Amino acid sequence: MKTIILIGANGKIGQAARTGLRNHKVITAGHSTDNYDYKVDITCEASLRKLYQDVGHFDAVVNAVGTCEYANFTEMTEAQWMNTILSKMMGQINIVRIGQEYISDHGSFSLISGILNIKPLPTAIADATTSGAIDTFVKCVAFEMPRGIRINAINPTVIEEAWGLYGEMMPGFQPVSGALVGKAFERSVDGFITGQVIFVDA
Ligand SMILES: NC(=O)c1ccc[n+]([C@@H]2O[C@H](COP(=O)([O-])OP(=O)(O)OC[C@H]3O[C@@H](n4cnc5c(N)ncnc54)[C@H](OP(=O)(O)O)[C@@H]3O)[C@@H](O)[C@H]2O)c1
């Protein structure tokens, strides 16, 4: 049994990830409520460092957070770009950059990207761009991870549990179950792969 920090545990992808982590001790972390074992803001380096120091020993970090702003490219402001970049891209990079100092030998990081960098949609340019950045980050940084630490990205299409929110803006897309996305996180955490983007698409 591994000790896993699940960041964004109460979100839709967080709950999907959780279905794949049943064999492990899951420590939950999130932002806006007290319904977590630990509070963390992934856009704040000090907050991430405090999370890792407070938890102490852990074998894996699964991240399900990446706030994205949606607008047509011609209308998207720099502030909207920066909110997305600071969360979905730099937030996740900092989870790894700081976390690698604390995670146990042969531990693993599992990050979240999303299918929109492969299947673009109107208004989703910031999500697509930062998802592509995360996919590239894990493929390349895997070569530099110390102490046998692994890293993968999960790149799902929209999940059934979120179809009510996003379905209207995604004509022609087929949602997948959160449980299937949970399997991808399970493969990342329990397998031996590293530097991989695990696509989950219908
Ligand atoms: N939903 C899908 O079908 C789908 C498919 C592919 C990819 N994705 C990607 O998955 C990611 C999560 O999406 P979601 O649908 O699960 O969103 P969600 O349901 O809104 O959940 C977001 C989670 O992130 C947490 N959070 C937000 N800002 C945070 C911060 N600064 N620090 C720490 N935690 C923070 C929230 O915490 P609180 O609970 O405390 O508010 C919440 O648990 C996004 O990047 C999205 O693009 C989603």
Side-chain angles (χ1 to χ4, degrees), residues 7-15 29-33 36 40-44 63-68 70 87-88 92 112-115 127 131 154-163 165-166:
I7 307 177
N10 291 351
K12 292 194 168 49
I13 291 292
Q15 288 175 14
H31 190 223
S32 63
T33 72
Y36 294 105
V40 70
D41 177 357
I42 71 158
T43 66
C44 172
N63 180 56
V65 181
T67 301
C68 298
Y70 295 89
S87 180
K88 187 138 188 178
Q92 295 204 85
I112 184 73
S113 57
I115 208 70
D127 185 337
S131 287
I154 314 306
N155 186 327
T157 191
V158 62
I159 59 174
E160 284 160 3
E161 292 82 347
W163 187 246
L165 270 179
Y166 302 118

Side-chain angles (χ1 to χ4, degrees), residues 113 117-118 130-140 153 155 197 199:
S113 57
N117 67 321
I118 306 296
T130 52
S131 287
I134 288 303
D135 286 356
T136 300
F137 171 67
V138 303
K139 283 188 221 169
C140 299
N155 186 327
V197 178
F199 291 97

Side-chain angles (χ1 to χ4, degrees), residues 68-71 75-85 126:
C68 298
E69 300 242 9
Y70 295 89
E75 284 150 23
M76 192 135 181
T77 64
E78 182 175 4
Q80 288 177 303
W81 271 106
M82 288 312 293
N83 278 344
T84 307
I85 288 167

Side-chain angles (χ1 to χ4, degrees), residues 13-151:
I13 291 292
Q15 288 175 14
R18 205 163 183 167
T19 64
L21 307 175
R22 288 196 181 107
N23 296 330
H24 301 294
K25 177 183 175 191
V26 174
I27 293 170
T28 62
H31 190 223
S32 63
T33 72
D34 290 327
N35 294 338
Y36 294 105
D37 297 324
Y38 293 89
K39 275 194 139 184
V40 70
D41 177 357
I42 71 158
T43 66
C44 172
E45 173 169 351
S47 177
L48 281 169
R49 197 170 287 284
K50 181 170 183 342
L51 169 70
Y52 293 135
Q53 285 171 347
D54 287 351
V55 170
H57 172 89
F58 57 95
D59 306 295
V61 178
V62 169
N63 180 56
V65 181
T67 301
C68 298
E69 300 242 9
Y70 295 89
N72 290 320
F73 174 64
T74 52
E75 284 150 23
M76 192 135 181
T77 64
E78 182 175 4
Q80 288 177 303
W81 271 106
M82 288 312 293
N83 278 344
T84 307
I85 288 167
L86 288 176
S87 180
K88 187 138 188 178
M89 191 181 92
M90 274 321 298
Q92 295 204 85
I93 290 172
N94 280 337
I95 283 170
V96 179
R97 187 176 66 82
I98 299 162
Q100 57 84 23
E101 294 177 31
Y102 297 94
I103 199 167
S104 60
D105 291 354
H106 306 285
S108 71
F109 293 94
S110 302
L111 304 186
I112 184 73
S113 57
I115 208 70
L116 299 177
N117 67 321
I118 306 296
K119 295 180 170 178
L121 273 178
T123 75
I125 186 64
D127 185 337
T129 303
T130 52
S131 287
I134 288 303
D135 286 356
T136 300
F137 171 67
V138 303
K139 283 188 221 169
C140 299
V141 82
F143 295 106
E144 295 193 53
M145 296 305 281
R147 300 187 285 109
I149 297 165
R150 298 182 300 107
I151 180 166

